[in-house]
Amino acid sequence: MQLSDEEENYNLSLKKFESMLKTNKVLFFDSEEFEEIILHYLDIGKATLAKKALKLALEQHPKSTGLKLVQVEMLVYDEKLDQAEKLLNELYAIEPTNEEIFIQKASIYSKRDQHEKAVEYLNIALKHTEDYADVYNLIGMEYLFMDNLEMAKENFIKCLEEDLEDQSALYNVVYCFEFLDQNLEAIEYLKEYTDRSPYSEIAWHQMGRLYYGIKEYENAVRAFEFATYIDEEFLGAYMEKGKALERLKRYEEAIESYNRTIELDDPTSYALLRIGKSYEKLGNKTQALKYFNKTVHEDPLLDKGWIAITDFYVRQKNYQKALFYVNKALAIDDQNRLYWKRYGSINKAINLYEEAEYGYRKAVELGDYQLDTWLFWVDMMQFLGEFNNAVLTLIQATEYFPEEYEIEYRLAGLYLMLNEKEKGYYHLSNGLRLNYKNQTLLQDLFPIVWDRKIVQRYIAKFKKPE
C-alpha cells in the first residue's frame, strides 16, 4: 500500500528525530513536526520520549501555542492538572478563540469528575471549531460519564451527521439506544444511516445484532450477510450470522458460517461447539461428537464443551460414557457447579444414590440455588433414609423459595415419616393451599404416608381453594 506524501513526511520526521537522539546532534524541526512526534510517542505510551521531544521543541519554538497546548496535554497525562490549567489561562490571554484551549480545559474538568463544567467548555469550543464531529463526540463522552444516555445519544448522532465515518461514535450511539431499551429506534436509526453510508459493515453488523435481540432472525441474517459482503473477513459477522441461522433451524448454513470463521482465524472453542450442536440437531451424531471433542481439546477450561459431550451421552442414555466425561471435567475444575449437578443427575440415573447426593450437595455448596437442584438433592437423601438431613435442607431451601408447593409436600411427607404429626399436617395444609391439584406429589414420593387413612381424611376435610 502506497503511503501519502503526508504519511511519508511524518515517517521521515520520526526517523530523523530518533537518529538525532542516537547521535546527540541537535537538528531543527518545525513546530508542527514536533507536535506530531510528541503525540505519536504519547499515543504509543512512550512518555519519556514524548517529554524529551517536548523539551527540545520548546527550546526551538518557545512561543508556539501549538506546542504549549501539547505541553498542557502532557501535564494532564501526568495528572498535573493545576499546572495545566495555569498554562491554559496564559494561552487564553494570547489566543481567546483557540478551540483547543477550551477542549483542554474540558479535559481537566473531566479528570476532576466535573463533567457538567467540561460540557460547558466543549460548548464554547463548538463556537470556535471547524471540527464539529470531534467536539460533539467529546460532549457525548462527557454525558456518558454522567449517565445521561439521552444527551449522549443526541451528541453522538450530531457527531455522525458531521462525520459519517466516525466508528467510535457509531458504536456509542448504538450502545446508548440499547441501554435505553430503544432497540426498535436503534434499528430505524441504522436504516437511515445505511441509506447514507451503505458500505458501513459496522452499521450492518450492529443492525444484525439488534434484529437478533428482538428475535427477528431472518432480518438479522440479512444484515450480517451485508456486513460480510462489504468485509469478507468480518469474523464477528460470520459468527453472529451462524447463531441467527441456528435459531432459524438452518443448521447446514450455520455450519458454513462457523466454518468461515475457522478459515479466517484459529478455530475458537465457541465456533467448534456451535458446529457440534448444529450437527447434533441434524442427527449427525458422529460429526457432533467429533466437534465436541475438538471443543474441549481447543479449550479444556470451557465448561460448555464438557457439558455438551456429557449431555450428548446422557441423551443417548450412555451413562457410563457421560460419567467418564463429567469426571474428566471435574478433574480440570472441581469448583464448577454445572459439572457437579450433572455428576448428581448421571449417578441418579444409574441408581448410585450416595454419589448422586454428593453431586447435588456440591452443586448447591458452589452456588447452584435452582429449585430442581435442591429437590433432587433432598430426594437422594430420602432414598438414603436421611430424613432429618432432608428436612434441614428443605428448610434452607425455603429461604430462596418461601412459597413453593414442591417443598411443602416434601416437608409434609418427611415430618409424617418421622412421626412429627403437627409439623407434617402444617406443611401438608401449606402444600394443599399452594397447589391443591398436585397433592399426588405426596403419593409419588411418600406412598406409605399417602396410604394412611388419617392423611386421606385430612386431605378430604381440607377445603379446596376456589
Side-chain angles (χ1 to χ4, degrees):
M1 194 177 79
Q2 201 164 0
L3 294 173
S4 66
D5 290 346
E6 203 174 305
E7 287 170 316
E8 196 70 55
N9 292 337
Y10 170 61
N11 286 339
L12 283 171
S13 298
L14 266 177
K15 280 178 190 166
K16 184 175 145 187
F17 179 76
E18 284 175 5
S19 71
M20 180 188 81
L21 290 178
K22 285 172 193 164
T23 58
N24 283 332
K25 282 182 187 171
V26 177
L27 302 173
F28 182 83
F29 296 83
D30 70 36
S31 61
E32 283 183 9
E33 277 182 297
F34 265 129
E35 281 181 45
E36 284 178 353
I37 290 164
I38 297 160
L39 292 173
H40 165 77
Y41 287 130
L42 269 185
D43 285 345
I44 62 169
K46 292 190 175 179
T48 312
L49 281 174
K51 284 171 188 173
K52 269 188 189 174
L54 179 64
K55 186 173 178 293
L56 277 167
L58 288 169
E59 282 167 11
Q60 289 187 12
H61 305 281
K63 291 186 178 173
S64 163
T65 306
L67 284 170
K68 283 181 179 170
L69 282 164
V70 172
Q71 188 181 3
V72 168
E73 207 164 318
M74 290 279 289
L75 289 165
V76 171
Y77 180 85
D78 285 338
E79 301 286 335
K80 294 176 180 173
L81 303 183
D82 292 341
Q83 277 176 257
E85 193 167 25
K86 187 170 177 287
L87 185 50
L88 278 176
N89 290 337
E90 288 167 18
L91 290 171
Y92 176 73
I94 304 162
E95 287 192 26
T97 59
N98 186 330
E99 84 266 22
E100 203 52 47
I101 292 170
F102 301 107
I103 288 170
Q104 291 300 340
K105 277 255 190 191
S107 173
I108 290 167
Y109 280 109
S110 185
K111 285 262 186 186
R112 290 173 175 157
D113 287 332
Q114 292 176 260
H115 301 295
E116 285 179 14
K117 200 80 176 156
V119 168
E120 276 178 39
Y121 277 101
L122 288 168
N123 278 320
I124 298 168
L126 272 178
K127 293 171 188 169
H128 301 293
T129 190
E130 287 177 11
D131 187 0
Y132 293 108
D134 187 42
V135 181
Y136 281 128
N137 202 1
L138 290 169
I139 294 172
M141 291 308 295
E142 291 305 318
Y143 278 117
L144 272 188
F145 293 137
M146 290 189 264
D147 290 328
N148 186 337
L149 278 293
E150 275 294 350
M151 287 302 291
K153 180 183 77 177
E154 196 178 296
N155 280 280
F156 290 131
I157 287 171
K158 284 179 183 174
C159 168
L160 288 164
E161 281 166 6
E162 297 293 332
D163 177 10
L164 270 177
E165 306 301 311
D166 192 321
Q167 292 183 359
S168 74
L170 184 58
Y171 278 118
N172 281 329
V173 83
V174 173
Y175 167 79
C176 292
F177 274 118
E178 284 190 280
F179 195 89
L180 293 161
D181 286 328
Q182 298 173 347
N183 287 28
L184 295 174
E185 292 90 330
I187 289 167
E188 286 310 309
Y189 175 78
L190 287 170
K191 280 182 185 172
E192 289 168 25
Y193 181 90
T194 49
D195 284 345
R196 289 178 294 145
S197 183
Y199 298 106
S200 168
E201 72 276 22
I202 288 165
W204 287 111
H205 176 247
Q206 294 295 309
M207 199 189 294
R209 275 185 54 253
L210 289 157
Y211 273 127
Y212 186 92
I214 59 168
K215 298 186 167 69
E216 289 195 22
Y217 302 120
E218 291 280 4
N219 284 330
V221 168
R222 206 167 299 122
F224 292 133
E225 270 174 359
F226 277 124
T228 58
Y229 294 151
I230 297 159
D231 178 358
E232 290 179 3
E233 297 188 356
F234 196 158
L235 201 134
Y238 286 111
M239 196 73 88
E240 305 263 7
K241 181 180 156 192
K243 280 166 60 182
L245 286 163
E246 274 192 79
R247 294 286 189 173
L248 292 165
K249 298 184 169 50
R250 288 156 60 180
Y251 299 113
E252 286 102 337
E253 291 170 77
I255 290 166
E256 267 177 52
S257 206
Y258 292 130
N259 272 324
R260 186 77 180 103
T261 71
I262 292 168
E263 287 165 23
L264 290 169
D265 201 358
D266 293 336
T268 63
S269 52
Y270 181 81
L272 295 167
L273 176 66
R274 295 316 319 165
I275 292 171
K277 294 259 188 190
S278 298
Y279 274 123
E280 192 179 4
K281 288 280 199 255
L282 289 166
N284 188 335
K285 291 170 190 173
T286 310
Q287 284 292 86
L289 205 49
K290 175 183 158 188
Y291 277 93
F292 292 150
N293 278 305
K294 280 186 176 186
T295 304
V296 293
H297 178 75
E298 184 64 36
D299 183 1
L301 295 176
L302 180 78
D303 57 11
K304 289 190 175 81
W306 293 107
I307 287 166
I309 297 182
T310 305
D311 289 354
F312 174 84
Y313 281 118
V314 167
R315 280 192 286 275
Q316 309 303 311
K317 295 190 166 43
N318 187 340
Y319 298 114
Q320 293 305 329
K321 272 278 177 73
L323 197 56
F324 169 77
Y325 278 102
V326 86
N327 277 322
K328 278 188 85 164
L330 283 166
I332 293 165
D333 178 9
D334 66 356
Q335 298 298 299
N336 189 311
R337 59 180 182 258
L338 299 171
Y339 296 164
W340 281 114
K341 184 169 183 173
R342 279 162 176 78
Y343 178 86
S345 297
I346 296 161
N347 279 298
K348 177 184 159 200
I350 53 179
N351 302 324
L352 294 175
Y353 299 131
E354 279 185 34
E355 288 83 350
E357 185 274 329
Y358 182 69
Y360 292 128
R361 177 171 13 125
K362 289 291 288 181
V364 172
E365 281 171 8
L366 290 165
D368 180 347
Y369 301 136
Q370 289 185 305
L371 178 64
D372 66 340
T373 314
W374 289 103
L375 298 179
F376 289 145
W377 181 20
V378 165
D379 292 347
M380 292 307 98
M381 288 184 208
Q382 187 199 328
F383 281 128
L384 295 167
E386 295 178 18
F387 298 153
N388 285 311
N389 283 342
V391 166
L392 292 173
T393 302
L394 283 170
I395 289 167
Q396 203 183 338
T398 58
E399 291 174 27
Y400 300 93
F401 302 98
E403 289 273 287
E404 180 51 61
Y405 75 91
E406 293 205 55
I407 291 176
E408 295 299 330
Y409 280 125
R410 278 172 173 81
L411 278 169
L414 287 163
Y415 277 125
L416 290 167
M417 292 287 282
L418 291 163
N419 281 323
E420 293 194 39
K421 291 174 185 172
E422 198 177 320
K423 288 180 182 176
Y425 291 128
Y426 168 75
H427 287 287
L428 179 55
S429 65
N430 278 347
L432 293 165
R433 174 177 58 81
L434 290 166
N435 193 320
Y436 188 84
K437 191 175 69 175
N438 277 28
Q439 58 183 267
T440 50
L441 190 61
L442 192 67
Q443 182 182 18
D444 298 338
L445 293 169
F446 302 94
I448 297 167
V449 167
W450 176 263
D451 288 340
R452 289 180 192 170
K453 284 177 182 165
I454 191 167
V455 170
Q456 284 302 314
R457 280 202 299 273
Y458 188 89
I459 293 169
K461 273 202 287 185
F462 187 88
K463 191 174 183 323
K464 184 179 173 181
E466 293 304 318

